[in-house]
Amino acid sequence: MNFQDKVAVITGGSSGIGKAAAIELVKQGANVVINGRRENLLAEAAKEIDPTGAHVAYVAGDIADPQIAERLIAEALSRFGRLDTLINNAGIFIAKSFTDYSAAEFDSVLSVNLAGFFHVTQRAADVMLKAGSGHIINITASGVAEQPIKAVPSVLAALTKGGLSAATRSLAIEYADKGIRVNAVAPGVIKTPMHPVETHDFLAKLHPVGRMGENQDIIEAIVYLEASKFVTGEILHVDGGQSAGQW
Ligand SMILES: NC(=O)c1ccc[n+]([C@@H]2O[C@H](COP(=O)([O-])OP(=O)(O)OC[C@H]3O[C@@H](n4cnc5c(N)ncnc54)[C@H](OP(=O)(O)O)[C@@H]3O)[C@@H](O)[C@H]2O)c1
């Protein structure tokens, strides 16, 4: 059990990949603190993650807000006494032609995908540096960010998730001798509430293997990274072959 007795903070833990990861981590013996903006969704997710409530806590609010980031890390420490793993999972995706993006969309994607990484990671790193150990996992993106797809123009995903990949490697080097590992999972298109069911046939074709990914595919990568003590600065592609080339 890679997560036995560990404490993990998962941003965007009320839906999709984040919720599925929280369920698996608690199954593996972890305590988790999840975050999302909608409190009702978060409370429902917390019940699903651990009906007893003993191994889950939540903090509602926008992860781009430094005060929410602060509260999230404080909750992990006050409720469970430590912080081992941060999963930066909250993120939004808006696909459209470059000139169609509004200034408000630009602001909101940068806010969630970048400020939402920055503030909470800074606070988590403070705690991990004092402890001399920790693991930060960033959920980036594969195809749309690194192997752009003509049919899905999405430069804001490339800008933010590509930046997150670069930041993963940068922090991995900064912290390599401090006991803190920093890795990323770069998903292809995963079946989550982010994608309406009627788009699934189209989205499946965006992968060389011919199918969309499942939450379980991403969870397996998270579990692998947590267990792999010699792995840091890795961008683990879980994308049905998207990043391998053209098809
Ligand atoms: N699904 C895919 O195909 C795919 C592919 C590549 C990468 N990813 C990445 O994987 C991550 C999870 O995606 P998903 O598909 O699981 O998405 P999802 O089902 O839409 O869940 C997103 C989660 O993030 C939370 N969230 C969004 N904005 C937030 C904010 N400002 N502050 C705090 N929480 C916020 C949402 O809750 P609230 O809305 O209540 O805040 C929700 O819990 C994202 O970073 C996404 O970019 C997904």
Side-chain angles (χ1 to χ4, degrees):
M1 291 294 202
N2 298 326
F3 282 97
Q4 187 68 48
D5 298 327
K6 289 186 175 171
V7 176
V9 164
I10 304 176
T11 68
S14 60
S15 173
I17 294 167
K19 182 170 79 173
I23 290 170
E24 178 61 26
L25 266 55
V26 168
K27 236 187 247 167
Q28 292 203 12
N31 295 302
V32 298
V33 185
I34 58 171
N35 150 263
R37 289 161 303 176
R38 288 166 291 175
E39 188 154 10
N40 55 338
L41 208 64
L42 212 46
E44 275 171 33
K47 271 196 205 127
E48 218 181 307
I49 291 161
D50 177 17
T52 73
H55 302 289
V56 63
Y58 63 83
V59 172
D62 188 340
I63 192 59
D65 177 345
Q67 287 182 352
I68 296 297
E70 182 85 39
R71 278 183 48 207
L72 196 50
I73 300 304
E75 182 71 15
L77 298 179
S78 66
R79 180 75 195 279
F80 300 120
R82 53 188 289 144
L83 173 64
D84 299 287
T85 308
L86 168 66
I87 303 181
N88 282 311
N89 166 77
I92 56 172
F93 175 65
I94 302 173
K96 52 172 66 173
S97 301
F98 181 55
T99 54
D100 290 343
Y101 281 112
S102 68
E105 285 169 336
F106 173 73
D107 288 345
S108 81
V109 176
L110 263 67
S111 167
V112 188
N113 292 4
L114 294 185
F117 152 81
F118 179 78
H119 299 298
V120 73
T121 304
Q122 222 177 25
R123 281 149 184 82
D126 268 343
V127 174
M128 290 173 179
L129 283 167
K130 282 187 192 111
S133 67
H135 188 198
I136 296 164
I137 301 176
N138 299 318
I139 306 298
T140 63
S142 181
V144 290
E146 296 177 11
Q147 191 85 15
I149 299 166
K150 181 79 174 164
V152 190
S154 42
V155 76
L156 292 184
L159 186 63
T160 56
K161 296 296 193 175
L164 216 45
S165 289
T168 299
R169 289 190 292 269
S170 179
L171 274 186
I173 294 299
E174 185 173 339
Y175 290 151
D177 60 353
K178 308 266 186 313
I180 303 171
R181 294 184 300 120
V182 187
N183 288 297
V185 179
V189 189
I190 310 299
K191 273 187 202 159
T192 72
M194 190 178 268
H195 307 291
V197 176
E198 57 275 19
T199 63
H200 285 190
D201 281 349
F202 165 74
L203 295 173
K205 295 190 185 84
L206 300 180
H207 304 81
V209 299
R211 71 163 174 91
M212 293 176 75
E214 305 284 342
N215 288 329
Q216 187 58 29
D217 294 312
I218 306 304
I219 289 167
E220 282 163 10
I222 290 171
V223 169
Y224 161 78
L225 289 170
E226 185 71 18
S228 304
K229 305 296 183 216
F230 200 50
V231 176
T232 192
E234 176 64 14
I235 315 295
L236 182 51
H237 293 86
V238 184
D239 64 0
Q242 280 182 337
S243 60
Q246 314 251 329
W247 68 98

